[in-house]
Structure formats: structure tokens, C-alpha cells
Amino acid sequence: MGLTNPWEPVQTISNAQTPRLSRGVHVESGTGILLTQVDKLLNWSRSSSLWPALFGLACCAIEMMATSAARFDLARFGAEVYRASPRQSDLMIVAGRCSVKMAPVIRQIYDQMPDPKWVISMGACASCGGVFNNYAIVQGVDKIIPVDIFIPGCPPTPDMLLYGFNQLQEKIRLGIPNPPDPLKVGAVKDLGSEN
Amino acid sequence: MQTGEQTELHITDSVKLDEKTRVDTMTINMGPQHPSTHGVLRLILTLEGETVVKAVPDIGYLHTGIEKTAEGKSYFQALVVTDRMDYLAPLSNNLGYALAVEKLLGVEEMPPKAVYTRVLLVELQRIASHLVWLGTSALDLGAQSVFLYCFREREMILDIFELVSGVRLMTSYIMPGGLQADLPPGFDEKVREFTSVFPERLREYHDLLTNNQLWLERTRGVGAISAKDAIAWGCSGPVLRGSGVAWDVRKTFPYAGYEQFDFDIPVGTNGDVYDRYLVRMLEMEESLKIVQQALEGMPEGPYQISDRKIVPPPKWAVATNMEALIHHFKLYTEGYRPPKGEVYQRIESPKGELGYYLVSDGTARPYRMHVRAPSFANLEALPKMVEGALLSDVVAAIGSIDIVLGEVDR
Amino acid sequence: MAETTKDLAAKTVEAVRSKFGEAVLDVVEHRGETTIVLPPEKVPAVAKFLRDHPALRYNFLADLTAVDWPEREPRFDVVYHLLSLDTRAFMRLKTRIGGPGEEHPAVPTVSNIWPTANWYEREAYDLFGITFSGHPDLRRILMPEDWTSHPLRKDYPLTGIELPEPHWGGQVPLNQPLPEGLGRQTMRVNDSRPPTPPRPEPEPGE
């Protein structure tokens, strides 16, 4: 009672929303928080022309193709070409479920990309194993490669992918570094609990 | 692995035929990550110059254990994982599964509205799947604008699916027992909008490709497989029809009400890439005909069977009626228990003959769900199509088989 | 259609019974489909007979799979779905294999009768551990080459087994030396270049 429009949301920020700066980000010394104008320019230019490496695995790849098609054009945000060769790209959109046979391939493609590079894990299967909690699927591709942006959905609609892409661009512009590499022994520190 | 004997070139097999000729072959890897393999397929090609001597497909890079996952879920829950196999045509997968479960349960009667809607949606799904095929295989052979046009039409179809079920792909809308929900108002107009626009767009694609000299050069005579080979290697769908065998499960073993509709099956002659292309283009036209017939003749009535032991009751009944509450509870906690037995249900998916082999042991979970994936057998015939051809023909052949690795690897 | 599927199924059963007699262990009919149960060593003979029979001509092998019944003995059911494109006949053949201690039960192959059975038998081997004697190239097809167990058996847990199997990807850190003989063979095909040196470890941060 008391609400004029019963469909109006009562709270606008979800309790489950992750805070802006993700916890436990390992800021390497030397990068610093202070961004000079040159750094700002570099980050802006990097974010405005992210070239994805073709890495569509399964159903999310179809939505990724639909995102680059005419209705939801990804190219207007800078992703002009999908490079087939990872050596010429700086963004890897892992779209689809990663099986245990495919895992070393993903790692190798990630290693072949030159720095600076970012990873978007698109879809529930790439983020956490998705619908398939079984022997054949790696439960979250962030066990193998460091992931910057996770996009939920099964499959995420193209506008969700565009939103995730925009979030990644903001992350680059703010200068937030990549998360630590999960396969480097000792790099992922146990940060304990944070209040 | 090599230890450095020959470090300059990857010369692996050196066959001395006689003293004068020496044939050097090179084994290369058309790896799992490749723009033209339509998914994570790995081909190990042995080349002699540009000619393919041997092609060995290596699959399993998308193996998801769907069959084992389905064994742990109830029949209703397992519907959701069936979407994700052939991810270009989820509604076809759903229909196959629904028909198999209904056969297992012994459901004889399906209300006519459900029958017509199922056929309508599955034929729209066939058009959507063929549009992706056309877009991607044309993209592989260099025709980039066809890709954008095809996806523009596909967005219209996906809008229809979103209107009906709320989801663009992976709808799980066709369930054992009927449909998940009733058709919303505005469905008729949206489908009519699509059917009025699509014939002219199809003509556009024909203008772009069918008599295009470049397309003909790339696809005529390439990747040919004879009818006898296609049957022996288990090919089905447009691959089999392109080779001249007039086999379409919708006509030979009609299911889900297809006998009420009037349509033809296009059949090719040579079994090459061009014939398969034409078969699929004509199939799109035929599917459009079926969609129009289904729309015109759509009857009124219930959208599910009325057996509440299989299909959950509507929510308003659950809130007021005790029996409905019990049915709802039993269905969502345990699920229905088909009698012991096994069935094999085949349907004609856009890729070929999709078969569901369901074994029930009397409990609420499928004991074994095996999916006969059409792309699995079609891909097995790839070496036959490609050996002796050039490397660029491999790309055309893979595109023409229209494989979906999700169902090859399951 | 001149003959319905039911008539053709009855005709098939009769033909197999008259030619093979006591090899037909059982005939089951359920929901309009007929299944003939055979002993494993008779399968290629019956399959060839059905393929070459002038009136039946089962020239299409639709599916070849297996079912695991661990409490029962014999343990596995190998199921063949046959189809005739000319006469529209449909038949299911079944054979039961797998004695008490048998780890990899064997059944003769049908890949020389229908070439499409090649990959289906490899898949049954991969997921169930059933060997097909006479198969030209029996190796794993869906799981990685060095996987050691058979996932679709009922005693294999759905979430898999952590150790001691060689698990790829995130479960074995890649900068540890992999066991002898197991390399990433599926990746480097005849690559004679020296392996890339490992990246130097970053300085520990704090």
C-alpha cells in the first residue's frame, strides 16, 4: 500500500551486486593509481578499438555473431574486425562451454595473444560451468585464464554482450589491471575474508 | 614428436614411389580454433601441395556429457539440456525429445492447436537454422554481405520466439505433453509480417548467389559424394537429398501432424556443394509454405494435453484446487514415471535425421538418453568428400555439410 | 506404401528366425517398435544378412549405442538401429555382453558392413569401454586421448574423478612437468620447433 505504481521497483540497487572495484584485485607495484594524461589517452585508445579474437565455442557464439550482425552492431564500439589469428587481437571473448579437451587450446590461444589483453567470459558455461556441472566441462574458464568481465546468460542476449563490452571499455579507461593468472603458482594470494 | 632432425620444413612423410618420383606430403592441423570450421572441429590434413591426400577429423572439443547429465534429471528437466545440442535449431531438438517421451508414455492424442503450433515453430526454426548456414558458409567463401542479410531475417524469427517464450534461443517451449504456455496475442501479426517479407528476401539471396559465376566456380563439382556412399556413411538430411536420395522423415515416417501439410522435398542430382546449397534454399521456401498453411489453419483449443499426471496444471488452479496442487507437487518434485521400455523417435531436423533413443526403467529419470546426431554421421563422410580435392574445397565442403559441433560431441 | 512398417518388421523377424533359428534369443515389441535380441558373435552375420536380403535391404545404420545395466549380468546392451531407405523398414538389434569381471567386453564390429559404424563404435568404446573386435581404428573420439576411464558407465560419477587421471586445464597447473609420455600430443602435430621457453616468474608483489 502506498505505492502508486505497483510495478515500480522499491530498490534500485540489488543486494547481490558486486561493488565497482572487484575485491582482491592484485595491483602490481609500479602501475600506481595516479594516471597521467598519456596513460589516459592510451587507455582510451585501447578501449575504443578492441579487436576480438574469434573464439566462439558453442551456442553463445551464435549470439556473438548476432551481436556483430546488423541489428546489434558491435563494430560501432570499436570491435571492427574479428581477427582469426590471436596474435593480432587484444580481446578474447570466450563464448561457449569449454570442455576438458579444449582447455589446453584455450590456454595456448590466450598465451599467443600479445599484451595488453583482456578476456570476457560470455555466458554461464564459460563463467562457471553453467548448466553442465559434470566431468566434461571446465567449471568456469577463469580456472585457466584470467577473466576481466563475466557475462551471465544462457545464452546472453546481444544487448547483454554489448553491455558487458561497454563495462570492459570502462574498466580499461579506469586503468583497472587484469586479474592474476590462475595458472601461475603462487600468484593468486589467499586474501582471507574481507568485511 | 620431432626432436629436430628436419628443422626447416615440416616434411613428415616422404614416400619414394620409384627412383625418380618422390612425393612429399605435409601434415597440417586445421585446428580447433579456426574461422571456417564452424565450431571447434579439428582436421588433421595431409597435403601434397594444395591437394588433400588424407583428412582425419578430430572431434570431442565440445563434449559436454549431455547424455549423462540427462540421466540425473527428471524427464521434464532433461528437456532443457536437449536445447543445447544442436544450438542452431533448439526447437527441433525439443520436438524430438517431446515426441520420444510422449511415445514412451503412450500419449496418443495431442490437441490440434498444439500440433499446428509445433509444426509452425519448428518450420520457422528450420528457416532460421538454414539462414545461419547460408550466412556462415557464404562468409567462408568470401560473400560477406550475405551474412548480414541472413542475420537480419533471423532477427525477425528470433523476435517471434521471444514473443512466444521469452527467450531468443534455447526456448524449451515444446515440452512432452504440448507447449509450455499459450500463444500470446499478436503472434499472428508477427508471423504474418515475417511471411510477407521473406519471399522477396529469399529472391535477394538467389540473386546474390545462385547464378553468380564466382559462387558456381567455388561450389560446382566440389565435395561430391555419391548416393551409395552417402547411404553407406549414414548421411541424412540435405547431404543425402543433395546426392539424389529422396528421403525426408517428414514424408516417410510422418510425425507431429506433418501429414496434414502440403509441401515438397527438393532433391539434388550430383551431391556436390552447389546441389546441397540449392536443396537448402528450396527447403526454406517449402518451410515458408508450411508456416503459411499452419498459420491459416490454426485451430482454437487447449495447448496441452489434459492429463494432469504429465502436464502441470495452470497456476490459478494450483492456488484453489487441492488435486491440482498435488499434481503440481508430484510433477515438480519427482516427475512422471513412464513404463519400462525403450523407444527410438526420429525427426527431420534442419541438419538431417535426429533420433532420440530413450530407455526407461520405470523410475522418474531417463535411464539412458542417447541422441543420434545427424552431424555426427555427416561429418564422418567428410573425408570421402574431400580427399583428392584442394584445400580451399575443404572449407566449402565443411560449410555445405552444415555441422553443428554441439550435436556432434554432445 | 505397399507394406506398412509393422508388416515389414514381422517379415524381418520371420526371415531372421528362419535363417538363424536358435540365435534369436528374444523378440520384444513395444510402442510399435520391434527389437531382436541376439548373441554377440552372431551380430555381423545377421547384419550382413539383413543388409543383403533382396526384399528387406537394410542399407542404413541409423544408430549404434550401448546401455549400461550394472546390476544385471551381462552388463552392457549394444543396440543397433537399422533402417531401410528403399522399403522403409525399421528394426532394432540388441546384444548383451559383459561378464562378471570383464573390464572391456568385446563384440564383433559391423564397420565392414556399414562404414558409418566406425565412429559410433569408437564412441561406444570411449564412453563405455566396449571393444569391437576387427575395428580398423579403435581409439577415443570424444574424450582426450589419454583419458583412462569410461564416463558413461553408471559407476562413473557425474562430476568426474579428480585424481589420478590426467586432467587438462585448470586442474593440473601447466608449469609443472607433465608425466612421462603424456604430452600435449593433441596440440603439437609434428612440430619440430624447440618448445617456447617459459615466461619468467613475476616478482612477488608485497
Side-chain angles (χ1 to χ4, degrees), chain C:
Chain C
M1 260 189 290
E3 288 175 279
T4 61
T5 314
K6 246 173 134 53
D7 296 333
L8 285 165
K11 206 162 136 182
T12 316
V13 172
E14 206 185 289
V16 173
R17 270 217 165 104
S18 63
K19 177 99 195 283
F20 291 94
E22 68 291 337
V24 176
L25 297 177
D26 199 3
V27 173
V28 181
E29 272 184 65
H30 185 66
R31 304 277 187 241
E33 298 171 5
T34 318
T35 310
I36 303 179
V37 185
L38 302 165
E41 62 278 355
K42 284 277 186 275
V43 166
V46 175
K48 208 160 154 67
F49 167 69
L50 286 176
R51 185 191 66 171
D52 298 333
H53 193 284
L56 297 170
R57 298 192 297 276
Y58 282 100
N59 50 5
F60 194 82
L61 176 71
D63 195 15
L64 203 175
T65 182
V67 188
D68 183 17
W69 299 94
E71 286 104 35
R72 187 191 76 177
E73 203 172 294
R75 180 176 179 176
F76 294 104
D77 264 351
V78 181
V79 184
Y80 304 77
H81 289 97
L82 307 180
L83 177 63
S84 168
L85 297 187
D86 308 326
T87 62
R88 299 179 183 182
F90 167 72
M91 182 51 55
R92 183 184 299 132
L93 297 179
K94 224 197 244 197
T95 162
R96 301 190 176 132
I97 55 173
E102 254 184 292
E103 194 46 46
H104 293 113
V107 81
T109 184
V110 293
S111 52
N112 44 2
I113 304 174
W114 296 288
T116 184
N118 194 321
W119 275 19
Y120 285 108
E121 291 180 345
R122 277 177 67 187
E123 188 195 332
Y125 166 66
D126 189 2
L127 299 175
F128 286 95
I130 298 174
T131 45
F132 290 85
S133 40
H135 193 276
D137 180 26
L138 195 67
R139 57 194 163 94
R140 288 190 178 263
I141 188 170
L142 292 180
M143 303 309 293
E145 296 280 333
D146 38 21
W147 208 261
T148 49
S149 62
H150 303 283
L152 240 60
R153 292 191 173 182
K154 291 285 178 180
D155 45 7
Y156 188 89
L158 179 62
T159 43
I161 303 173
E162 276 288 329
L163 292 168
E165 282 198 278
H167 277 231
W168 291 109
Q171 284 143 330
V172 171
L174 275 179
N175 48 9
Q176 268 177 22
L178 287 165
E180 199 50 69
L182 293 175
R184 275 169 279 162
Q185 297 120 311
T186 48
M187 285 313 303
R188 300 259 158 89
V189 182
N190 292 314
D191 192 336
S192 54
R193 293 168 295 166
T196 49
R199 277 223 290 242
E201 286 291 321
E203 302 300 301
E206 292 120 27

Side-chain angles (χ1 to χ4, degrees), chain B residues 160-363:
Chain B
I160 298 175
F161 292 156
E162 193 171 4
L163 179 70
V164 155
S165 66
V167 193
R168 286 156 52 100
L169 298 173
M170 315 300 157
T171 51
S172 300
Y173 186 64
I174 297 177
M175 65 181 240
L179 306 170
Q180 292 260 19
D182 204 354
L183 291 177
F187 176 73
D188 275 11
E189 286 84 59
K190 254 207 138 78
V191 178
R192 249 178 263 275
E193 190 190 317
F194 175 72
T195 55
S196 57
V197 155
F198 194 60
E200 168 208 328
R201 302 280 165 88
L202 254 188
R203 246 173 281 138
E204 239 179 59
Y205 306 145
H206 274 294
D207 281 341
L208 279 174
L209 291 175
T210 308
N211 291 318
N212 187 337
Q213 190 59 31
L214 295 172
W215 186 257
L216 289 171
E217 295 275 327
R218 276 313 287 271
T219 57
R220 264 251 166 91
V222 164
I225 186 168
S226 67
K228 192 156 158 300
D229 278 337
I231 298 175
W233 284 94
C235 300
S236 51
V239 179
L240 189 60
R241 290 197 281 279
S243 301
V245 181
W247 178 262
D248 187 327
V249 185
R250 295 176 289 173
K251 287 281 193 197
T252 53
F253 295 119
Y255 56 90
Y258 269 101
E259 56 269 5
Q260 304 167 37
F261 295 93
D262 173 37
F263 60 100
D264 301 312
I265 348 168
V267 175
T269 41
N270 301 327
D272 57 5
V273 172
Y274 188 65
D275 277 358
R276 282 177 232 141
Y277 156 80
L278 280 179
V279 164
R280 289 198 182 97
M281 297 294 282
L282 294 172
E283 259 181 28
M284 280 203 265
E285 265 175 67
E286 299 298 323
S287 291
L288 192 66
K289 260 168 53 179
I290 303 180
V291 168
Q292 279 165 331
Q293 287 171 43
L295 193 61
E296 299 311 317
M298 180 75 74
E300 298 296 316
Y303 58 93
Q304 287 174 335
I305 61 175
S306 47
D307 187 351
R308 290 297 163 212
K309 294 207 168 32
I310 299 173
V311 150
K315 204 65 179 153
W316 55 262
V318 173
T320 50
N321 186 344
M322 187 59 180
E323 204 178 297
L325 179 66
I326 297 175
H327 282 311
H328 174 103
F329 180 75
K330 284 234 59 156
L331 278 173
Y332 282 107
T333 50
E334 190 193 4
Y336 39 80
R337 283 187 263 171
K340 273 196 192 175
E342 55 197 5
V343 289
Y344 181 78
Q345 170 69 40
R346 48 164 53 93
I347 67 164
E348 181 80 21
S349 88
K351 313 286 177 299
E353 174 184 320
L354 177 65
Y356 276 86
Y357 174 59
L358 271 176
V359 177
S360 155
D361 61 340
T363 61

Side-chain angles (χ1 to χ4, degrees), chain A residues 83-102:
Chain A
R83 304 309 294 187
S85 162
R87 303 224 185 253
Q88 299 166 5
S89 60
D90 42 8
L91 170 65
M92 184 157 110
I93 306 183
V94 183
R97 44 196 193 244
C98 169
S99 74
V100 290
K101 201 167 174 182
M102 192 66 189

Side-chain angles (χ1 to χ4, degrees), chain B residues 118-144:
Chain B
R118 278 178 168 184
V119 169
L120 204 166
L121 289 175
V122 168
E123 290 305 313
L124 275 180
Q125 185 67 264
R126 191 183 308 269
I127 299 177
S129 168
H130 283 329
L131 283 172
V132 176
W133 157 78
L134 182 62
T136 49
S137 64
L139 185 64
D140 284 344
L141 297 180
Q144 288 182 349

